[in-house]
Amino acid sequence: MTHVLVVAPHPDDEVIGCGASMAKHASEGSEVTVAIVIARERSLHDELRSDADFTDETRKASAALGVHRWELWDEPSRDFLPSRKTHLDLVRLIREVRPDILYIPHRKDGDVEHRMVNQLATEALWMATSDFFGETGKPAPTPRLVLGYEVWAPLAEFQYAEDVTGFVDQKVEAMRAYQSQLRHAAWDDAVRSLARYRGAVATGTTHAEVFEVISLGAPPAS
């Protein structure tokens, strides 16, 4: 079984960045785990929505994509700083999941917190695979593939493209689960359109998602 771990800065980033790939992994029998680091930012449109409402959005989005397990860490939005605690939380999760494939925000994404989570995940991965840090169990093997996904700033250059034809409807359904976000922009239309464009230019198929290759390890043993 392939184990997939997605680290997202904010609720809905996992859907925008690699939602269709997540659904494809799940359809192939992989176990997909999602960790969302930073709490949902409240806007003037959210006065009548409770924290439980926001959690339910993530639950519905995860169900639409076939996610096996998800965690919300609720770090403070716009005051987020990677700490020893967040590093060890992610080290713990990496060692528990032992991912074959790890998805994180790409290094040059346009949101500063996305870039901070990229750095957090990169550092935590090194810690999780090292025998120096013993607080959270035994070291995990190095993932065979670490990919950076696009959210706020589309990738100017990419090294990997996944044909997600047949899985974009699930991505759109998951995006629509985040009703609080759709009040600000038509993200459901946006993710379908971007996947269509990426399919046309990157894979010659109906839909695709593209990624920065951050790390490429050894292939699985045959």
Side-chain angles (χ1 to χ4, degrees):
M1 178 183 293
T2 297
H3 296 274
V4 177
L5 176 59
V6 179
V7 181
H10 309 100
D12 84 353
D13 288 336
E14 78 285 9
V15 176
I16 298 170
C18 55
S21 293
M22 291 162 61
K24 185 174 182 178
H25 285 304
S27 77
E28 295 170 344
S30 301
E31 283 194 351
V32 180
T33 300
V34 175
I36 299 174
V37 177
I38 301 169
R40 171 78 165 82
E41 180 81 22
R42 285 185 173 274
S43 75
L44 295 176
H45 299 283
D46 298 323
E47 293 177 349
L48 300 179
R49 298 184 68 81
S50 67
D51 291 343
D53 291 332
F54 290 146
T55 299
D56 197 49
E57 290 183 344
T58 299
R59 181 189 64 78
K60 290 177 179 177
S62 296
L65 299 176
V67 169
H68 171 72
R69 171 187 177 187
W70 52 275
E71 295 187 4
L72 295 172
W73 293 352
D74 290 335
E75 290 293 316
S77 177
R78 299 306 150 194
D79 291 314
F80 172 69
L81 288 173
S83 64
R84 179 77 174 186
K85 177 184 179 299
T86 53
H87 279 97
L88 290 179
D89 282 344
L90 189 48
V91 169
R92 168 193 58 79
L93 188 59
I94 291 170
R95 287 178 171 178
E96 288 177 4
V97 174
R98 303 172 76 83
D100 302 286
I101 303 173
L102 174 63
Y103 291 92
I104 66 177
H106 78 83
R107 285 175 280 194
K108 296 182 180 180
D109 206 355
D111 185 294
V112 63
E113 290 186 334
H114 293 198
R115 299 194 298 273
M116 293 169 73
V117 169
N118 170 282
Q119 294 172 2
L120 166 70
T122 302
E123 184 78 2
L125 178 59
W126 168 71
M127 293 170 65
T129 56
S130 169
D131 61 4
F132 185 81
F133 302 94
E135 297 99 321
T136 57
K138 296 181 180 180
T142 301
R144 58 182 168 85
L145 188 59
V146 181
L147 297 174
Y149 57 78
E150 56 186 0
V151 177
W152 201 250
L155 283 160
E157 297 179 356
F158 57 87
Q159 296 79 43
Y160 183 82
E162 183 69 36
D163 177 10
V164 294
T165 301
F167 297 95
V168 168
D169 284 347
Q170 285 176 259
K171 178 170 181 163
V172 171
E173 180 185 353
M175 193 65 245
R176 287 175 178 165
Y178 284 108
Q179 284 294 314
S180 58
Q181 295 296 74
L182 298 186
R183 293 187 177 92
H184 303 280
W187 284 104
D188 50 345
D189 291 338
V191 297
R192 187 187 296 275
S193 298
L194 180 58
R196 179 77 184 195
Y197 172 77
R198 290 306 197 186
V201 301
T203 58
T205 62
T206 305
H207 297 101
E209 290 176 336
V210 301
F211 303 95
E212 171 189 38
V213 174
I214 295 172
S215 177
L216 182 63
S222 58

